[in-house]
Amino acid sequence: MKESLRRGALANLPLVVSAMAYGSVLGVLSGQQGVTWAEMLAMNIFLFAGSAQFVMVDMWSAPLPVAEIVTAVLIINLRYLLIGASLQPVFKGYGLGAKAAMMHMVADENWAVTMAEHRTRGTDPYFLLGGGLLMGTGWCGCTIVGNILGGFVVDPEKYALDFAFVAVFAALSLSLWRGRADLLAWGVAALLAVLGNWLLPGKWYIIIGGLGGATCAALYPAFPKTRQAVSAKLAESVESAETVSND
Amino acid sequence: MIESLFIPGGILAIFLASAVTYSLRLGGLLLAGILPDRGPVRRFLDALPGTILISLVVPAGLQSGLAGMIGLGACLLAYISTKNLMVTMAAGVLMVCLLRQVFGM
């Protein structure tokens, strides 16, 4: 367990740098918006979701539009429903307690790193948690420092740190590639995501791309393993039918 | 003390937003656990990590323009030859940083 935690944290190091740069931007913004360090800390600990926190800070002025804020956060974080569902193989064999305790620390970054690790070497929820704890610590530290000190800020785009996550996620997608049969699902996902990003507000594009692509995979079982399983089953049923008719 | 640290309604907003987010995270996992373990639903769930990742990365990559495309090439080359994420990240970031600062792309 400890070993998994450590490995998970280390695997997320390439991503924590850019998260921290964005954290510092959010921290400074939050200070300018009049968000107190306690409010920022509470969001970091209890919400722990970068893009949702950006929107929340933006809407943070009296009288606080609570219902609008919660609705916006719901829409932005709807992708976590899909992300949570995709983590099922990682949590296989773990009880409700472990799931409830560890799912809070799921961000896009440690999720992606964990899924790639799971496909290539196999992993467990502690790997996910280790990454989450590292991301959470870096994120929390930078937002709070930015909130209190104001001035200090790293411009992520100047140093291309906004590109860090694209770089790492593109590499991780190579590990998730299961072969040519993924082409249709991934093509549809990419197309829908690009269209969604162009036409729809917020984070809808991730949900539409993810759902649409996976639906294609569900409808067209072109994946070789599935096809093999289907033909094996067919052969089996033909065989048993033959034995029945022979009797 | 609390009054000076939290805007009126602030604690409620953070609590509700957090509860919603946590429910989505845990809810997705629990929902996948009760879905059938074979057939179309299984194929859907197995394809999900790849399609979500692609949906995150393609629009973001396109938004970074030509510099991003060249950077992406550098990343994939770095990853295929080293299998190391830190090297991959550094290759992409340095390449895009260079293209932006020196060539103004």
Side-chain angles (χ1 to χ4, degrees):
Chain A
M1 166 197 155
K2 260 190 194 155
E3 176 58 20
S4 278
L5 270 178
R6 197 183 62 87
R7 280 199 313 122
L10 285 177
N12 278 277
L13 274 178
L15 286 161
V16 80
V17 185
S18 102
M20 285 169 76
Y22 276 100
S24 74
V25 173
L26 176 65
V28 172
L29 274 178
S30 72
Q32 290 164 354
Q33 187 75 7
V35 178
T36 67
W37 64 267
E39 291 165 341
M40 202 64 235
L41 188 65
M43 288 181 205
N44 285 337
I45 293 173
F46 298 113
L47 187 61
F48 184 51
S51 359
Q53 282 179 249
F54 265 98
V55 170
M56 219 169 166
V57 162
D58 193 46
M59 297 169 89
W60 207 258
S61 51
L64 203 63
V66 175
E68 285 91 329
I69 287 178
V70 176
T71 312
V73 168
L74 169 72
I75 291 170
I76 294 166
N77 286 343
L78 210 50
R79 69 183 188 286
Y80 281 120
L81 195 66
L82 298 182
I83 282 179
S86 74
L87 278 166
Q88 193 233 346
V90 175
F91 277 91
K92 206 157 204 153
Y94 285 81
L96 182 62
K99 290 175 178 171
M102 285 190 261
M103 276 312 282
H104 176 57
M105 295 306 286
V106 173
D108 296 340
E109 288 86 355
N110 62 326
W111 164 77
V113 170
T114 302
M115 291 321 293
E117 180 80 4
H118 189 74
R119 284 276 169 85
T120 49
R121 262 160 293 192
T123 185
D124 58 42
Y126 293 101
F127 184 92
L128 177 74
L129 182 64
L133 290 174
L134 178 81
M135 295 302 295
T137 311
W139 177 252
C140 194
C142 280
T143 48
I144 295 300
V145 171
N147 178 275
I148 294 173
L149 295 187
F152 127 91
V153 66
V154 183
D155 178 4
E157 272 159 44
K158 189 174 170 199
Y159 301 103
L161 286 171
D162 57 319
F163 194 73
F165 112 90
V166 180
V168 175
F169 279 26
L172 290 177
S173 66
L174 294 181
S175 305
L176 291 185
W177 177 254
R178 295 174 297 174
R180 233 179 45 203
D182 270 336
L183 198 61
L184 176 70
W186 286 32
V188 169
L191 187 70
L192 288 175
V194 170
L195 284 177
N197 187 36
W198 183 34
L199 298 171
L200 300 168
K203 298 273 176 187
W204 281 109
Y205 69 97
I206 303 168
I207 299 153
I208 290 176
L211 271 182
T215 305
C216 275
L219 296 180
Y220 301 101
F223 192 56
K225 231 158 96 191
T226 324
R227 212 156 45 185
Q228 269 169 22
V230 169
S231 51
K233 216 167 199 169
L234 260 172
E236 206 174 275
S237 59
V238 168
E239 223 166 84
S240 60
E242 274 169 3
T243 18
V244 170
S245 62
N246 284 348
D247 288 345
Chain B
M1 177 74 180
I2 286 283
E3 289 78 38
S4 66
L5 287 179
F6 287 91
I7 191 174
I11 292 179
L12 180 69
I14 294 173
F15 172 78
L16 289 177
S18 304
V20 161
T21 305
Y22 179 69
S23 310
L24 290 169
R25 284 174 169 140
L26 185 63
L29 180 66
L30 297 182
L31 193 67
I34 57 166
L35 291 174
D37 205 30
R38 53 176 55 200
V41 176
R42 186 70 257 163
R43 289 199 297 275
F44 177 86
L45 289 174
D46 285 343
L48 209 46
T51 59
I52 299 173
L53 198 64
I54 282 300
S55 306
L56 275 165
V57 81
V58 174
L62 287 181
Q63 252 165 15
S64 38
L66 185 60
M69 296 297 118
I70 300 172
L72 214 52
C75 294
L76 295 181
L77 212 63
Y79 188 68
I80 291 166
S81 50
T82 66
K83 289 277 166 198
N84 183 312
L85 280 184
M86 195 55 109
V87 174
T88 306
M89 189 276 283
V93 167
L94 287 176
M95 176 63 87
V96 172
C97 188
L98 189 80
L99 291 173
R100 278 187 194 164
Q101 303 223 345
V102 179
F103 300 99
M105 280 167 86

